[in-house]
Amino acid sequence: INLYRPPVWLRGRRAGFRNADDFTSSPRAPRRRLQAQDKTPFMKFTHAALMGDIAGSEASGSLVRLHKVFNEVMIEANRVSRRDLESPLTITLGDEFQGLCPTMSVGAALMRRLRLKFLSKNIECRFALGLVNVRTPVNTREAWNMMGPGLSAVRERLEQKDKRMAYRYSVPASPATATLLEGLSASLTEIERNWTDRQRELAIKTVLDSQSPLSLAEKLGVTQRVYYKIRAAAQLDLYN
């Protein structure tokens, strides 16, 4: 799904349609009456903001280790995704970070990569991803000192802590899309939390490493038959 471009029915607002119901249930309604219902200009989205934090960081046994791993993951992510980020992932304060992506699809891929990287270190984390309209100059050195509609909405989604979902979404132009994405998020989070240590190791290497099943099996020290058995138990085909 290309979330960067509004759904077809939202583009109908240029013709005066207020929402999906107006578009589908009243296709023959006079355009003038429909235009009178909505005087709000169509919002243009320029970027996708990605925000996240570490869950339960204050209760961590070693804040020094957590701080070290946190910074290492951020540095690696910025190095690997430097061409995809409009503004790099930046640790803001404590255990929180944020960055600016060109599209929701780029942000979603980065979000899951970060999630798996943290899980590989036995660190629980959560994210929020949403469409925003940055109206000030984009800070290409750090994700800081920028303003525009949508940013506070993404922050609010992150602060709405829900143990069932590690991924939260903000899609102002289509709340229904955000609801569908969070339903998917609940399923992904449930699969992740049901992994055994062995299943987690296999899942993370399979998703993050672009290698053949044979190579992955050799790296994990198992036969291909055992690899596929663990993969099936981890519901990796559904997850990936």
Side-chain angles (χ1 to χ4, degrees):
I1 301 174
N2 185 356
L3 298 177
Y4 188 65
R5 188 179 186 190
V8 173
W9 63 265
L10 276 171
R11 281 173 270 162
R13 290 182 65 175
R14 295 181 178 177
F17 295 109
R18 182 179 178 83
N19 53 41
D21 293 333
D22 290 337
F23 187 82
T24 57
S25 63
S26 304
R28 299 179 183 177
R31 177 174 295 185
R32 184 174 300 174
R33 177 171 64 82
L34 289 172
Q35 286 178 333
Q37 293 178 356
D38 189 358
K39 298 296 184 181
T40 304
F42 183 79
M43 182 184 290
K44 176 184 177 182
F45 298 104
T46 60
H47 300 85
L50 174 60
M51 302 181 185
D53 66 6
I54 304 300
S57 60
E58 294 183 357
S60 174
S62 173
L63 287 177
V64 174
R65 173 190 174 275
L66 179 61
H67 180 266
K68 180 176 181 293
V69 173
F70 190 16
N71 279 270
E72 288 175 349
V73 171
M74 291 293 104
I75 291 171
E76 180 186 3
N78 280 325
R79 178 182 59 80
V80 173
S81 305
R82 64 184 183 278
R83 294 182 180 179
D84 293 328
L85 286 165
E86 298 288 333
S87 187
L89 296 170
T90 305
I91 298 175
T92 54
L93 184 65
D95 59 3
E96 297 183 353
F97 63 91
Q98 59 193 30
L100 209 57
C101 305
T103 65
M104 287 285 280
S105 58
V106 169
L110 176 58
M111 182 168 60
R112 190 169 70 156
R113 184 177 184 85
L114 286 170
R115 167 77 172 164
L116 294 178
K117 280 290 185 180
F118 280 121
L119 287 179
S120 70
K121 308 293 185 180
N122 294 316
I123 296 175
E124 183 66 30
C125 54
R126 52 185 167 239
F127 304 89
L129 177 68
L131 290 170
V132 299
N133 181 3
V134 178
R135 294 183 178 176
T136 57
V138 173
N139 189 338
T140 58
R141 298 184 63 183
E142 57 183 2
W144 197 254
N145 194 25
M146 292 177 284
M147 299 179 69
L151 290 167
S152 60
V154 180
R155 172 64 59 185
E156 288 174 4
R157 297 305 286 168
L158 180 63
E159 293 176 351
Q160 293 173 357
K161 298 176 175 61
D162 188 332
K163 293 182 179 180
R164 298 171 303 168
M165 291 181 282
Y167 314 91
R168 306 303 298 269
Y169 296 89
S170 173
V171 188
S174 178
T177 299
T179 300
L180 289 171
L181 287 171
E182 294 203 340
L184 176 62
S185 167
S187 297
L188 292 176
T189 306
E190 182 69 16
I191 291 174
E192 291 169 350
R193 289 180 177 164
N194 285 334
W195 285 337
T196 64
D197 291 343
R198 190 59 163 166
Q199 289 169 359
R200 182 187 300 112
E201 179 186 14
L202 181 143
I204 290 172
K205 288 186 179 298
T206 299
V207 174
L208 297 184
D209 297 344
S210 299
Q211 298 183 29
S212 67
L214 177 59
S215 298
L216 288 169
E218 290 177 350
K219 183 179 292 187
L220 293 166
V222 298
T223 64
Q224 277 190 276
R225 181 175 178 275
V226 172
Y227 168 83
Y228 281 111
K229 184 177 180 179
I230 299 174
R231 179 188 176 107
Q235 302 184 72
L236 199 53
D237 288 333
L238 177 61
Y239 178 81
N240 202 28

